[in-house]
Amino acid sequence: MKPELKLAGTEKAKIIARDGHSISRKDIAPNALKVLYRLTSAGYHAYIVGGGIRDLMLQKKPKDFDVATDAAPEEVKDLFRNGRIIGRRFKIVHVRFGKEIIEVTTFRADHARSNEISNHPARRKIKGLDSAHSESGLILRDNVYGNIDEDAMRRDFTVNALYYTTDGFRVLDFCSGIEDLKAKTIRIIGNPVERYKEDPVRMLRAIRFSAKLNFTIEENTKKPIDELSYLLDSISSARLFDETLKLMTGGYAEKTFEMLRKFQLGTYLFAPTLEALSESGGSPANLVSLALKNTDDRLANGKSVTPAFLFASLLWPVLKLHLAKSKNLGLPPQKAFQQAAQSAISEQLHYTAIPKRFTLATREIWELQEKLKVRTKRNVDKVFNNSRFRAAYDFLLLREDSGEDLKGLGQWWTDFQVSDSETKLRLITTANKSQNRHKGKKQLARGRGE
Ligand code: ATP
Ligand code: MG
C-alpha cells in the first residue's frame, strides 16, 4: 500500500505521481522541509499546501509555504522548540526560523460534523470541541479537526487545495484544483454564498488571486460577490488592514484596485478615496493611479513599499478635498492642514485600521510637502536630514507626474541630491532669488489691490 494512503481521507484524492507534476524538493524552502520531516519522523502526516504548491505548479516563486498535518496544535508545538500556538479563530502553530515563519495548521473539518469526530486522532489532547457560528453564518471559531479530504473542502479555492508530500513526492488533489490551474480559473470550493457568508474575506481573496495570477473568476464564484460585498462590514478593521496590504502589495495593485471597485468591494475598504475620486478627478485622481502603478513597478524591481506611502497616496484626494473646504472657512494654512490631515486619516480608520506608526509617517510625508518648498539653507538641511525625506521627495515627484505644477521643485531636489557642496549652495541661492522675486511680485500685486 502506498504510505500516504494509510491516512484516512487520501483515498478520495486524485494522486499525481512524482513524474506527473513539476514540483521538486529543491524549490521548497529548506525550513518548510525541516518541519515536514520532523512531523513525519514523529509519526504524523504532513503536507505542504496552499499558495506554495499553487505557485510552484505555475512556475512562480511562492511567497511562503504552509504546512497541514494530522497532529494537533499542542502536539506540533511539543515537537518544535521554536513553535508557538497563535490565533483564536484558527489555532495554528508558527514555527519560527529567524525571520522566516512556517505556518502549521491541523486538518480541519466541517462544523456540521463536529459531533461525529470527537475521536479523531488530532482531538486526543484537546479539551472540548471548539466551533461557533454567528447568526449570519460567519465562522467565529474554527477548531474542529478532521481528515485531509475534509481539510481540503474547508479551503477557499480549488487551486489552493493541492497537497504535496515528501512521502513519495506526490501531489494530492481533492477538488480538481489541477484542472482549474490549467484552465486559469479561480473557483470557490462548495456553495459560493455559504462560503462567503462563513468568511467574507474570501471575496477579497478571489480578486487578489485573479489579479495576481491573471486567472478568470469562475461564473458561480463571481456572481454573488457584488450582492454580498456588504458582508465585509462585519470584518474587523484590523483584519481588513492586513488584507488591504496584501491586496496592494502583491505586485498587482493597479489591477486589483480596479477590480475591487468593479465588484463593489472597494467601498468597504476605500470609501473615502472612492468618494473623493468621484468628486474631484484631475491630478489627485491621477496621483492615485500613478501611485498604484509605481507600487507595482517598485515591487517588480525588488524594491520595498511602505504602508505609509501607500495611504499617503490613497488618501491624497481626500486630504485635498478637506483642504479646499477649510480654505473656504478661512482657516490659517497651518491649522487648515492639520485639520484636513486629521479628518482624512480618521475617515479611513472607519474602514481599515492603520497602525499608529504608519499614520504618523503618512502625516509626515504630507507635512514635508510644504517644507520642501522652503529653500533657505537652514530649512533645506533640516528637511534633507529628515528620516522621511526620501518618501516625501518620491511623493513630490508623484505629484508632479500627476499633473500638479510645482514650478520645477522636484527637479530642484533631484539636482540638489546629486550636487557637490558648492553647487548645493548655488542652487539654494538661485532658488531664494526666484522665490523672493515671486514673493515680490505677489506683494506688488496685493499693493495694487489685485
Ligand atoms: P499567498 O500566500 O500567495 O498570499 P495563499 O493561498 O498561500 O496565498 P495564505 O493566506 O497564505 O494564502 O493561506 C494559505 C492557505 O490557507 C490558502 O491557500 C487556503 O488553502 C487556506 N486559506 C487561507 N485563507 C482562507 C480562508 N479565508 N478561507 C478558506 N481557506 C483559506
Ligand atoms: Mg501562503
Side-chain angles (χ1 to χ4, degrees), residues 354-406:
I354 311 175
K356 188 108 190 191
R357 63 182 189 284
F358 298 136
T359 56
L360 286 175
T362 295
R363 285 184 72 133
E364 264 187 277
I365 292 172
W366 288 342
E367 269 160 20
L368 280 165
Q369 297 307 301
E370 278 307 302
K371 294 183 179 157
L372 283 164
K373 287 184 187 163
V374 185
R375 278 156 298 159
T376 57
K377 167 123 186 25
R378 199 162 144 257
N379 192 62
V380 164
D381 286 343
K382 211 163 120 195
V383 170
F384 191 50
N385 291 317
N386 187 304
S387 63
R388 306 259 177 249
F389 170 78
R390 187 74 218 182
Y393 163 72
D394 283 345
F395 197 81
L396 184 76
L397 296 185
L398 203 57
R399 288 173 62 198
E400 287 189 334
D401 286 346
S402 71
E404 260 191 271
D405 181 9
L406 298 172

Side-chain angles (χ1 to χ4, degrees), residues 48-162:
I48 307 257
V49 63
I53 297 306
R54 177 198 67 218
D55 292 349
L56 283 184
M57 294 278 232
L58 293 167
Q59 257 67 247
K60 281 182 188 275
K61 194 173 158 27
K63 211 176 68 192
D64 48 37
F65 290 94
D66 300 301
V67 172
T69 178
D70 60 347
E74 286 75 3
E75 292 171 322
V76 178
K77 191 182 161 286
D78 286 349
L79 278 180
F80 296 95
R81 228 176 350 106
N82 44 346
R84 222 159 59 93
I85 297 184
I86 60 143
R88 275 189 306 151
R89 226 174 125 262
F90 300 128
K91 244 190 198 177
I92 55 182
V93 181
H94 273 181
V95 185
R96 182 182 278 279
F97 300 88
K99 270 191 179 165
E100 190 179 11
I101 289 176
I102 306 295
E103 237 174 59
V104 185
T105 52
T106 303
F107 295 143
R108 286 193 191 103
D110 192 51
H111 291 245
R113 277 203 55 210
S114 59
N115 294 325
E116 300 166 33
I117 55 171
S118 48
N119 288 326
H120 186 273
R123 308 214 39 72
R124 284 185 304 258
K125 287 194 157 189
I126 320 294
K127 294 179 204 87
L129 285 162
D130 199 9
S131 104
H133 274 92
S134 76
E135 273 174 24
S136 65
L138 187 79
I139 295 184
L140 301 175
R141 283 193 307 282
D142 193 14
N143 289 321
V144 177
Y145 304 115
N147 293 334
I148 186 168
D149 59 317
E150 295 169 301
D151 185 75
M153 296 307 157
R154 298 287 322 136
R155 293 185 178 270
D156 47 7
F157 306 107
T158 59
V159 293
N160 283 349
L162 294 166

